[in-house]
Amino acid sequence: MSSLRQQVIESAGFIRARFGDCSPAIGFLTGTGLSDTLSDLEETDRMDYADIPHFPKATVASHTGSLVRGKVGDKELLVFKGRFHLYEGYGPDMVAFPVRILQELGISVLILSNAAGGINLTFSPGEIMMISDHINLTCKNPLAGPEEPEWGLRFPDMTQVYDPKLRELALTSARELGIPLHQGVYAGLQGPSLETPAETRFLKVIGADAVGFSTVMEAITGVQAGMRILGLSMITNINDPDAPAPTTLEAVVDTANRSSKKMNRLLSRVIQRMD
Ligand code: HPA
């Protein structure tokens, strides 16, 4: 067994010991400025990332860095509030570490939220895009390296990363709630420098609707783990190569915060209706 898998087993064992019998079906990783989006979550347990053995430390100010167990309606969830990014210097293994823990805990549904820049000019800041597919432009892959057969297939199929049934459920829920929900392709870059107008033009040409610095490592890992994945991007700014406007982290976090109620309502309904 690799030392990484040994670490995951120890981390999951620690969480199991602290949270008691811990086998919810749903895991949720929150994105930049979105840690507290799921305000309907009734928290039952919490631990700091710093307490979890082998767990990477969260560095971005907008990520609170705690693992929360809670309920939305009768559905139990484990929520990792705060992510790890390649741009912080973590390797793909560490970025995917929370997903490996969820796998070890037997979780079968993975929800990923993120803040993203809109490439599709029909989008507006504050709107939500459900990820229909992604393009991994990080030049990294969390499955590269020595094979760990216990974790799944060496060459997992990637034709349906984002679960069609969950996507359908999200579309129906959004319609019922009167929340506009776009669908589109998420381009995952390493960052942290934002895109030049020429890069934005390139992303558009290759079929991206939104761009961000997260999600793809976790999604690839989730696929190998056999998880059903739902990805939601909060569009915090629009990148128009013909009218480039500067983007700041503050503006991204501010837009994410302002639109988080909408994200909560959507997520809350989707979670409660999951089978
Ligand atoms: N680019 C990359 N990541 C982002 C952006 C962006 O424009 N907005 C929010 N996250």
Side-chain angles (χ1 to χ4, degrees):
M1 192 192 307
S2 67
S3 60
L4 181 66
R5 178 142 190 272
Q6 189 59 45
Q7 289 182 354
V8 169
I9 290 171
E10 285 170 20
S11 302
F14 176 86
I15 293 165
R16 237 186 251 117
R18 279 276 296 269
F19 283 178
D21 174 29
C22 190
S23 52
I26 306 167
F28 177 24
L29 266 67
T30 67
T32 303
L34 300 171
S35 294
D36 296 315
T37 339
L38 191 55
S39 52
D40 283 354
L41 184 77
E42 291 168 42
E43 189 175 319
T44 52
D45 292 291
R46 172 185 282 259
M47 69 176 77
D48 289 343
Y49 283 177
D51 293 338
I52 306 173
H54 312 300
F55 210 74
K57 292 209 172 15
T59 66
V60 176
S62 53
H63 291 241
T64 57
S66 49
L67 172 61
V68 170
R69 178 197 199 183
K71 276 188 153 188
V72 175
D74 64 350
K75 295 287 188 319
E76 193 169 39
L77 277 89
L78 273 184
V79 184
F80 282 101
K81 292 191 171 197
R83 282 263 201 12
F84 305 99
H85 301 87
L86 295 171
Y87 66 73
E88 294 172 276
Y90 297 110
D93 286 353
M94 285 296 111
V95 174
F97 202 81
V99 182
R100 289 301 183 199
I101 291 180
L102 294 174
Q103 178 178 19
E104 187 60 33
L105 292 171
I107 277 161
S108 57
V109 173
L110 177 63
I111 304 174
L112 301 169
S113 72
N114 61 46
I119 304 284
N120 185 326
L121 296 181
T122 68
F123 297 175
S124 301
E127 290 185 327
I128 302 172
M129 183 193 87
M130 178 165 61
I131 305 176
S132 57
D133 202 352
H134 75 222
I135 307 172
N136 176 12
L137 293 172
T138 65
C139 300
K140 304 261 161 57
N141 195 299
L143 313 187
E147 188 176 7
E148 184 55 76
E150 290 298 316
W151 274 342
L153 296 174
R154 185 51 156 163
F155 303 104
D157 180 74
M158 295 289 288
T159 50
Q160 267 187 357
V161 174
Y162 301 90
D163 187 73
K165 277 207 179 127
L166 290 180
R167 284 166 55 197
E168 196 52 52
L169 176 61
L171 284 177
T172 311
S173 304
R175 212 176 301 122
E176 288 167 357
L177 293 165
I179 296 173
L181 182 62
H182 297 294
Q183 288 200 76
V185 174
Y186 176 91
L189 275 62
Q190 175 175 264
S193 55
L194 293 154
E195 300 72 42
T196 65
E199 287 165 348
T200 299
R201 221 169 261 125
F202 163 75
L203 293 172
K204 204 184 184 77
V205 167
I206 64 169
D209 295 290
V211 58
F213 304 146
S214 69
T215 305
V216 291
M217 296 297 109
E218 294 97 323
I220 292 168
T221 307
V223 167
Q224 192 193 40
M227 294 174 180
R228 296 167 60 205
I229 303 175
L230 176 68
L232 294 174
S233 293
M234 171 73 71
I235 303 299
T236 52
N237 53 286
I238 299 296
N239 296 338
D240 179 353
D242 296 319
T247 300
T248 61
L249 176 65
E250 292 71 27
V252 165
V253 171
D254 188 52
T255 307
N257 285 337
R258 275 189 287 112
S259 300
S260 74
K261 275 207 178 89
K262 195 164 54 179
M263 187 73 114
N264 172 60
R265 287 168 62 226
L266 178 61
L267 270 173
S268 184
R269 177 165 301 215
V270 170
I271 289 166
Q272 289 183 69
R273 297 220 174 144
M274 277 180 187
D275 46 31

